[in-house]
Amino acid sequence: MANEDQRGHDVTLKRVLTLRYLVVFGLAYLAPTVVFNYYGIITSLTGGMMALAYVITTVVMCFTAYSYANMVKAFPVAGSAYTYVQKAVSPWLGFFTGWVMLVDYLLLPMVCYLLVGIYLNEFVPAVPVAVWVIAAAALGAWTNIVGVKVTGRINTVIIAAQVLFSVGLIGLIGFYVVRGGGAGTLFSANALLNPQTFDSGNVLLAASILAVSFLGFDAVSTMAEETVEPAKTVPRAIMIVPIAAGIGFAIISYFTQIAWPKAYSEIVNPDAGIFELLTRVGGNALSTVFLVTDNLASLICVMAGLAAASRILYGMGRDGALPRRFFGTLNPRFRTPVNNIVLTSLIALSAVLYADNLAGAASLMSFGALTGFVLVNYSVINHYFIRHRRRHGVDLLRFLVLPGIGVVVSLLLWLNVDASAKLLGLSWLGLGIVYIAFTTKGFRNPPVTLRLEDATGEGPEHNRAPLQEASTS
């Protein structure tokens, strides 16, 4: 069902995004400085082998990203994993995939707003946490409503600041170590694998938590309908984001380990462990710089998160899986899903009531993410290898072996997700089953399928009168 403006013209998402914007968007969503937020928790959990946990997670994500790249070539539309599983496997399973992954998209902005509120309240105690959260929510909503291109330009500036901070910290740590601090050497095998503290279960648990750090490549796929030449551009961005992020995360983790080799047993407060490290390396001034940079990272993470969540809801609403009149409409002026942006922002405002539990929140997000990753990998097998019989030569590797490995390794990480997170995730899934049973009259009516002709830009564009351009340049 098409969206129309007051003159009866179709309202479609604007194709304005290029490869550069998509990569920036993906990196913004995962936030380069997220590695520092997990530093204390993961270092303590792995016995000082955060870099190893990131290497494992990066390998897993690359297999899954390759599957995403293959699926976006087949279905270059908004909706992400929900769309791919729906079209390539089953409409029912597609709905439940989207429902489970909504946990990630709805929870991430809330956590980011909470971090902004807590950190800025410490920086400016006179302003309550709730005020900072509301201000950040208003900014995030506005930038998404006026258009993703504005968000992309803001992201570019702030990501540059994060990269500069990360590179600068690596340089400071290098100087600190060669002068006798920390490990006293830039080359330490124990910083990657320490036999004395290695525990495979803890490392895999850490890797399952860190999977959330890579949701940026999944978020990229939600922007397909606003991308120029999506079948070519989106797959490239999907592969670039996890590889670039994984390399950066692993390098940073290695340097933080050689800066404080015994951190895993000496950190006083794992949730804020990064500040203990920064004080050792550069004093209070470095901690202040990080505070500012990380808050900016949280803000753009929210902006990207809201954009992804609103488009997941738009994809489900347009297909009738959610009420179309509210979720499946675009604003005629801005050509963005304003209803979904506002709703997601209101949900994220619950950050003012959220009990701070970083590891628990990350584990809950991992449940949804890894569930989606398993199913997207399987979608490649079902779509290309089973349905279209792409089984010969290199196709055997591309459409069976590689996605098959993706299924296995993603499932392995899923099994290592915290038990309480699994319980909460399965409870959310149960709520989805009740909802879809009600809306389909006891599963007697099939869920609505996607309409690809308009979403891919292959519909009758010549019959559409142009709308007034939104102020996104």
Side-chain angles (χ1 to χ4, degrees), residues 92-156:
W92 294 103
L93 192 58
F95 173 83
F96 292 125
T97 300
W99 184 267
V100 170
M101 293 196 73
L102 274 176
V103 172
D104 304 340
Y105 292 103
L106 295 176
L107 182 60
L108 181 58
M110 181 179 68
V111 173
C112 289
Y113 285 144
L114 182 64
L115 289 172
V116 169
I118 291 174
Y119 286 168
L120 288 180
N121 175 253
E122 292 185 2
F123 193 64
V124 186
V127 181
V129 172
V131 173
W132 288 118
V133 169
I134 293 171
L139 176 62
W142 175 79
T143 55
N144 274 277
I145 287 173
V146 299
V148 293
K149 200 166 185 179
V150 169
T151 307
R153 289 177 174 176
I154 295 173
N155 289 346
T156 301

Side-chain angles (χ1 to χ4, degrees), residues 353-387:
L353 305 174
Y354 190 82
D356 191 13
N357 181 1
L358 182 58
S363 293
L364 180 58
M365 293 172 64
S366 293
F367 175 89
L370 291 170
T371 299
F373 294 164
V374 169
L375 292 172
V376 169
N377 279 299
Y378 175 70
S379 295
V380 173
I381 298 173
N382 200 68
H383 179 74
Y384 289 101
F385 186 81
I386 297 177
R387 286 186 178 179

Side-chain angles (χ1 to χ4, degrees), residues 51-63:
L52 176 62
Y54 261 121
V55 169
I56 293 172
T57 311
T58 301
V59 172
V60 173
M61 292 303 102
C62 283
F63 281 109

Side-chain angles (χ1 to χ4, degrees), residues 301-470:
C301 182
V302 166
M303 293 176 192
L306 288 174
S310 63
R311 282 152 182 80
I312 288 286
L313 293 173
Y314 170 70
M316 297 178 76
R318 184 184 54 192
D319 304 335
L322 294 175
R324 182 182 290 113
R325 181 169 296 181
F326 182 88
F327 292 98
T329 60
L330 299 175
N331 180 273
R333 177 184 177 188
F334 300 113
R335 298 185 186 180
T336 53
V338 173
N339 290 346
N340 300 333
I341 293 170
V342 172
L343 176 63
T344 306
S345 298
L346 291 175
I347 293 174
L349 279 175
S350 61
V352 298
L353 305 174
Y354 190 82
D356 191 13
N357 181 1
L358 182 58
S363 293
L364 180 58
M365 293 172 64
S366 293
F367 175 89
L370 291 170
T371 299
F373 294 164
V374 169
L375 292 172
V376 169
N377 279 299
Y378 175 70
S379 295
V380 173
I381 298 173
N382 200 68
H383 179 74
Y384 289 101
F385 186 81
I386 297 177
R387 286 186 178 179
H388 292 278
R389 300 180 181 275
R390 302 281 295 272
R391 305 174 180 176
H392 304 289
V394 71
D395 284 350
L396 185 66
L397 176 67
R398 295 175 58 198
F399 304 131
L400 178 63
V401 176
L402 293 179
I405 294 174
V407 169
V408 172
V409 294
S410 296
L411 185 59
L412 180 62
L413 292 188
W414 187 93
L415 292 172
N416 282 275
V417 170
D418 182 71
S420 61
K422 289 179 185 174
L423 180 61
L424 290 172
L426 291 173
S427 298
W428 173 257
L429 178 60
L431 181 62
I433 293 174
V434 173
Y435 173 80
I436 197 66
F438 176 78
T439 56
T440 60
K441 298 181 179 179
F443 302 104
R444 288 192 294 269
N445 297 329
V448 180
T449 58
L450 287 169
R451 293 180 55 183
L452 299 181
E453 66 274 10
D454 291 334
T456 57
E458 295 174 356
E461 295 290 342
H462 57 281
N463 292 329
R464 298 175 181 169
L467 294 175
Q468 180 180 358
E469 291 292 321

Side-chain angles (χ1 to χ4, degrees), residues 34 40 131 166 219 231 283:
V34 70
V131 173
S166 300

Side-chain angles (χ1 to χ4, degrees), residues 225-249:
E225 294 181 53
E226 290 157 277
T227 300
V228 179
E229 296 184 280
K232 179 175 70 174
T233 306
V234 176
R236 291 179 180 176
I238 286 175
M239 292 305 301
I240 291 172
V241 169
I243 292 173
I247 292 173
F249 289 156

